[in-house]
C-alpha cells in the first residue's frame, strides 16, 4: 500500500525535528498521503466491512484524526512521533507481496513476519501509547481536543491486532 512510503518521510522529518521542532517541512504532504491512504483503503475494502469491523473502526478513526490534525498547524510538529508507527507497514506490505507470489512458506516470508511483529510491537504496542501518555497535556497536542481520544482507541486496536499477529506468527513459524 502507498502508506509504506510514509516511513521514509517520517524518518526525514524526525531527523530534522530532532534539532528544530518548529520546522515541519513536508508535514502537510505526509498528512495528505495518510488521508489518501485511509480514504482509498476504506472505500476499496467496502466489500469486507461487515466481516472486518476492527479495520472499519481503524479507517474511520484514522480519517477523523488526520482531518483534525491537518487543519491545526500548531500540532504538526508532533506528527512524526506518531507517523513512525508506519515502520511496521513496510514489513506487512512485503508479506502481502510474498504471499501473493506464493512464497509464504519461505524463510524470507518468515523473517519478514518476525520483522513485522517486532516493529509492530515496538512502534504500536509500546511507542504509540508511550507517546500518547507523554504528550496528553502538551498544549500542541491538547489543541486537537476530543480527536486525540481516537489515538487511545487506535492503541487498543493495536493491542488486539498484536495478539492476532502473535497467533499468525506461531502458526507460520511452526509450519501449521
Amino acid at each position: 500500500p502507498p502508506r509504506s512510503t510514509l516511513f521514509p518521510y517520517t524518518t526525514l522529518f524526525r531527523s530534522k525535528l530532532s534539532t528544530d521542532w518548529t520546522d515541519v517541512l513536508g508535514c502537510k504532504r505526509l498528512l495528505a498521503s495518510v488521508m489518501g491512504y485511509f480514504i482509498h483503503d476504506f472505500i476499496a475494502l467496502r466489500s469486507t466491512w461487515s466481516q472486518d469491523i476492527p479495520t472499519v473502526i481503524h479507517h474511520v478513526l484514522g480519517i477523523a484524526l488526520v482531518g483534525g490534525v491537518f487543519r491545526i498547524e500548531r500540532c504538526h510538529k508532533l506528527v512524526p512521533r506518531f507517523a513512525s508507527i508506519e515502520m511496521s507497514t513496510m514489513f506487512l506490505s512485503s508479506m502481502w507481496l510474498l504471499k501473493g507470489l506464493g512464497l509464504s512458506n519461505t524463510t524470507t516470508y518468515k523473517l519478514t513476519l518476525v520483522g513485522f511483529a517486532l516493529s509492530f510491537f515496538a512502534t504500536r504496542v509500546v511507542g504509540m501509547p508511550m507517546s500518547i501518555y507523554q504528550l496528553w497535556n502538551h498544549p500542541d497536542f491538547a489543541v486537537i481536543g476530543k480527536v486525540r481520544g481516537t489515538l487511545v482507541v487506535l492503541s487498543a486496536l493495536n493491542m488486539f491486532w498484536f495478539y492476532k499477529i502473535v497467533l499468525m506468527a506461531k502458526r507460520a513459524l511452526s509450519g501449521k
Side-chain angles (χ1 to χ4, degrees), residues 159-175:
M159 305 291 178
F160 166 74
W161 279 328
F162 185 68
Y163 170 74
K164 293 184 76 139
I165 291 165
V166 169
L167 293 179
M168 178 179 60
K170 284 174 76 173
R171 279 191 311 271
L173 297 174
S174 69

Side-chain angles (χ1 to χ4, degrees), residues 3 7 37 54-55 58 82 84-93 95-96 111-129 153-166 168-169:
R3 66 184 177 153
F7 184 65
Y37 156 73
T55 299
H58 169 74
F82 291 100
S84 64
I85 66 171
E86 292 302 334
M87 179 176 78
S88 65
T89 304
M90 294 184 303
F91 292 101
L92 179 60
S93 296
M95 286 170 49
W96 286 339
L111 289 172
T112 305
L113 174 57
V114 170
F116 173 57
L118 292 174
S119 62
F120 192 97
F121 180 77
T123 61
R124 294 176 185 249
V125 175
V126 176
M128 186 174 173
V153 176
L154 289 170
S155 286
L157 204 49
N158 284 333
M159 305 291 178
F160 166 74
W161 279 328
F162 185 68
Y163 170 74
K164 293 184 76 139
I165 291 165
V166 169
M168 178 179 60

Side-chain angles (χ1 to χ4, degrees), residues 55-72:
T55 299
V56 172
I57 293 168
H58 169 74
H59 286 87
V60 170
L61 293 179
I63 290 167
L65 178 64
V66 173
V69 171
F70 191 83
R71 64 183 184 83
I72 303 171

Side-chain angles (χ1 to χ4, degrees), residues 33 49 53 97 161:
S33 295
W49 288 352
I53 300 300
L97 179 64
W161 279 328

Side-chain angles (χ1 to χ4, degrees), residues 38-156:
F38 276 123
I39 292 171
H40 170 270
D41 211 42
F42 183 65
I43 293 169
L45 295 174
R46 67 188 174 279
S47 65
T48 66
W49 288 352
S50 62
Q51 297 92 24
D52 194 2
I53 300 300
T55 299
V56 172
I57 293 168
H58 169 74
H59 286 87
V60 170
L61 293 179
I63 290 167
L65 178 64
V66 173
V69 171
F70 191 83
R71 64 183 184 83
I72 303 171
E73 289 194 20
R74 76 183 251 203
C75 61
H76 287 185
K77 62 187 157 206
L78 305 176
V79 167
R81 190 165 184 172
F82 291 100
S84 64
I85 66 171
E86 292 302 334
M87 179 176 78
S88 65
T89 304
M90 294 184 303
F91 292 101
L92 179 60
S93 296
S94 297
M95 286 170 49
W96 286 339
L97 179 64
L98 291 166
K99 191 172 188 172
L101 293 171
L103 301 172
S104 59
N105 290 325
T106 64
T107 301
T108 301
Y109 180 86
K110 291 174 183 175
L111 289 172
T112 305
L113 174 57
V114 170
F116 173 57
L118 292 174
S119 62
F120 192 97
F121 180 77
T123 61
R124 294 176 185 249
V125 175
V126 176
M128 186 174 173
M130 190 169 58
S131 291
I132 293 168
Y133 176 78
Q134 290 171 345
L135 294 172
W136 191 261
N137 292 315
H138 189 286
D140 293 329
F141 187 60
V143 75
I144 61 173
K146 293 178 182 173
V147 173
R148 68 189 166 155
T150 61
L151 284 168
V152 175
V153 176
L154 289 170
S155 286

